[in-house]
Amino acid sequence: MKGAWVVAALLVLSACAVRQSGGERSAAPGRPPAAASARPSIQPSTDSFYTVKRGDTLYSIALEHGADYREVAQWNGLTDPTKIDVGQRLRVKPPPGVERASVGTVKGPGAPEARPLESGAAKAPPPPEPSKAADAIAFVWPAKGKVIAGFAEPRSKGIDIDGKLGDPVVAAAAGRVTYIGSGIPGLGKLVVIKHDAGFITVYAHNREILVKEQQAVSRGQKIAELGATDSDRPKLHFQIRKGSAPVDPMRYLPSS
């Protein structure tokens, strides 16, 4: 009998050990791995930031987001606008609480004339032409020549105007020159002008540039000579942008 009691006691102890061991194994999967708790969170991308891709320049990034490259450099603490890296994350809109500088009205030859209202009942202004945009400012043709390529976004963000080397290129509206140079691949010698109402105009493939950055220009003022830089023929590539969005210049230019 004494031997039977010993055997029974050993069986009870063995069963307890098995239950404790099984409980520990079942609890293990419920523990979060140490590595998972230390994994950094991924910041979601927003419209205020842009990740630099191969072939980008600060000038092209600024133009595509409707900004002055100086603004983008300032927002990101860049001292050299030519030095950006693939994969770098850049702010392309003003930080919270910072307002973008507005372009004041630049008056010059061809500016709209202010006239007093006629006496009597006020007359309603005539409706805009159906082919023109309602929010347009007064643009003029930047060069004399026929249109040889139309607006076809995203492949072509503007129109191409035929011409001869040295033909005058004029500002399509009053504004301020925000960029001159060859910093945007495919556009050659380039002029970018910022206007009122959020408009930007682009003049590409010039032979010579006759204005400086930050210079105020009037509508119709000669700003460059037509050329063939980074192009297979002499022509002016002309863009109108409303903020960051390219729009069809034919909707804004006069019909004649």
Side-chain angles (χ1 to χ4, degrees):
M1 289 296 292
K2 184 176 182 180
W5 280 104
V6 172
V7 171
L10 290 174
L11 289 174
V12 171
L13 291 174
S14 177
C16 290
V18 170
R19 284 196 298 270
Q20 291 175 357
S21 176
E24 290 175 359
R25 284 197 298 269
S26 62
R31 296 176 184 171
S37 61
R39 184 179 302 166
S41 60
I42 299 175
Q43 292 184 351
S45 59
T46 66
D47 292 339
S48 297
F49 292 89
Y50 175 81
T51 301
V52 179
K53 299 179 178 62
R54 188 175 300 278
D56 286 341
T57 65
L58 189 68
Y59 312 108
S60 65
I61 293 170
L63 179 62
E64 290 301 322
H65 290 86
D68 188 323
Y69 78 90
R70 296 174 190 79
E71 294 176 327
V72 179
Q74 182 180 8
W75 298 336
N76 294 278
L78 302 177
T79 56
D80 187 345
T82 64
K83 293 182 179 180
I84 57 174
D85 301 315
V86 174
Q88 185 175 357
R89 187 174 166 85
L90 296 177
R91 176 178 284 279
V92 291
K93 288 188 177 180
V98 176
E99 294 185 1
R100 180 176 295 171
S102 60
V103 181
T105 302
V106 182
K107 296 184 178 180
E113 180 183 357
R115 296 182 179 179
L117 291 174
E118 297 179 2
S119 58
K123 295 181 180 181
E129 298 179 26
S131 60
K132 305 302 177 186
D135 59 351
I137 59 178
F139 289 102
V140 297
W141 282 86
K144 294 180 179 180
K146 65 179 182 180
V147 176
I148 55 176
F151 178 81
E153 221 273 330
R155 180 178 56 83
S156 175
K157 299 182 179 181
I159 60 174
D160 291 346
I161 302 174
D162 193 19
K164 301 188 299 292
L165 291 174
D167 281 354
V169 175
V170 303
R176 176 175 58 88
V177 179
T178 59
Y179 176 70
I180 61 171
S182 304
I184 302 181
L187 295 182
K189 291 184 178 179
L190 179 71
V191 179
V192 178
I193 300 177
K194 190 171 185 178
H195 310 278
D196 284 333
F199 284 97
I200 296 171
T201 51
V202 178
Y203 312 75
H205 305 306
N206 301 290
R207 181 175 74 175
E208 295 292 337
I209 296 175
L210 307 177
V211 290
K212 299 179 180 180
E213 289 187 5
Q214 302 298 318
Q215 179 179 338
V217 295
S218 57
R219 184 178 60 181
Q221 177 180 338
K222 185 176 179 180
I223 59 173
E225 294 179 355
L226 190 143
T229 55
D230 214 354
S231 172
D232 58 353
R233 60 179 293 174
K235 64 181 179 181
L236 173 68
H237 177 72
F238 175 66
Q239 298 180 16
I240 296 179
R241 290 171 175 261
K242 180 69 165 136
S244 60
V247 295
D248 186 354
M250 301 301 290
R251 296 176 55 219
Y252 296 85
L253 293 170
S255 57
S256 59

